[in-house]
Amino acid sequence: MRTKGTFTFSNGGVNDVAEYEYWTTWDSTHRKKSPSSTGGSVSVELTPNTVGANKVYVRSYDRAGNSSDTAVYLFYANGPRTPDKPGDINGDGNTDIWAIDSSGDLRRFYGAGDGTVTQASTKAGDHTWNNVKITHRGDWNNDGYEDLVALRHDPDKGAHRLWVHPNDGYGFACTTCDNGVQRQELAVYDDTNNHWKGGAKQILAIGDVDGGLDTDGDGVEDVPGYPDLIVNDGEFIWLYYGNSDHHLDSYRDPVLLAGPDDPIATGGSTVGEATLGAPGDWDGDGLPDLVVRYDRPDTGGLYVFHGGEDDWGDYDISLNKRTAISSNWGTDTVPLFTATPDANNNGNPLDFWVTTPNSGNLRFLGDHVADVGHTTSLSASTEFEGYQAIS
């Protein structure tokens, strides 16, 4: 994966081959290449972007334009030896952005490792993404790549549905890709556990908070963990545990993290007036933390609520243990933001990309310190005018 391989096409005993035509399961574009002399062979470099089975298709043409039968070469591509780091969607080791522009197109911006980003030349997904909520943190199909989770309204069902769009390894979020990879719905077995069908204030992928399972007690993970998801339905904040069957209540019901009477609803703000972020483990205690931004201009604070454990040893958010990070973060000054773990690769994980009111400027606010706020600030991009969502 992500490594070029050289493929050689030869004439198979037909000496008047004038041209070869080839395409692949991951790229349906038909390309042609001619040998230096009639009947000769050609070599091409191809880079598969799908883990597992891949195919190269090729046929030859003689000088009169007659084609041969199509030959099919099956080979297998290995995934990355280690999963991509959190936030990285193209495998270069830097955190990146998925975003929805003003036209409803899904875009991808590759991080440079210094807080700046560059927009890819092509879109990051097919179809329209208008009014879709997006988030990413974790590999949902076990191919080593960070995938995109989306909440979109289904007019045929009259409800909102959650989908995992597999990453092709370069940040293209597949709905139905040429290689057969398709989006996968995230569902629940018990419909009373579905807290997004009526829409949601926010969905937030936070990685794997509970880890894998050591079934025999030898200290080695026997059953791999899966990414987990937070849903803020506007009144309550729910934590869902992921599973290989793509059901979010397979082995436990969702956990209620906060509601109207909890400290996240503070200063007159409601849960529906707070936006969450996933900074990873900011305080270094081995548990993921949760960023809370209060949207209203009259509150506008930015806090880290620290990850903890409940009485049974399960992951929880410590509602009474929070650290003030910054102020003046209401939607009037920061319309959109996403927490990005260490986007400038200096070891401080509490970094943010934020949009600017009435401007295309995306700012990088990095290296946050308690009660001080950011200690690094720079322009990350100028291409975010009118964007609907960033993640």
Side-chain angles (χ1 to χ4, degrees), residues 109 117 119 359-363 379-387:
F109 290 79
V117 297
Q119 183 175 188
S359 167
N361 189 35
L362 181 79
R363 293 175 291 159
S379 177
S381 172
T382 58
E383 301 183 67
F384 280 78
E385 179 73 37
Y387 267 65

Side-chain angles (χ1 to χ4, degrees), residues 40-57:
S41 60
V42 300
S43 294
V44 299
E45 289 186 333
L46 302 174
T47 306
N49 60 14
T50 303
V51 174
N54 290 268
K55 293 178 181 179
V56 177
Y57 303 92

Side-chain angles (χ1 to χ4, degrees), residues 147-169:
D147 302 310
L148 183 70
V149 179
L151 178 67
R152 65 170 68 230
H153 184 257
D154 184 339
D156 294 331
K157 299 284 188 180
H160 288 73
R161 300 169 73 184
L162 274 173
W163 301 93
V164 172
H165 293 263
N167 182 355
D168 74 347

Side-chain angles (χ1 to χ4, degrees), residues 9-55:
F9 310 142
S10 56
N11 63 31
V14 179
N15 295 322
D16 63 345
V17 171
E19 189 175 54
Y20 296 92
E21 181 182 33
Y22 64 95
W23 63 100
T24 68
T25 48
W26 68 89
D27 185 354
S28 61
T29 303
H30 287 229
R31 295 178 171 84
K32 294 182 178 181
K33 189 171 184 179
S34 299
S36 58
S37 60
T38 302
S41 60
V42 300
S43 294
V44 299
E45 289 186 333
L46 302 174
T47 306
N49 60 14
T50 303
V51 174
N54 290 268
K55 293 178 181 179

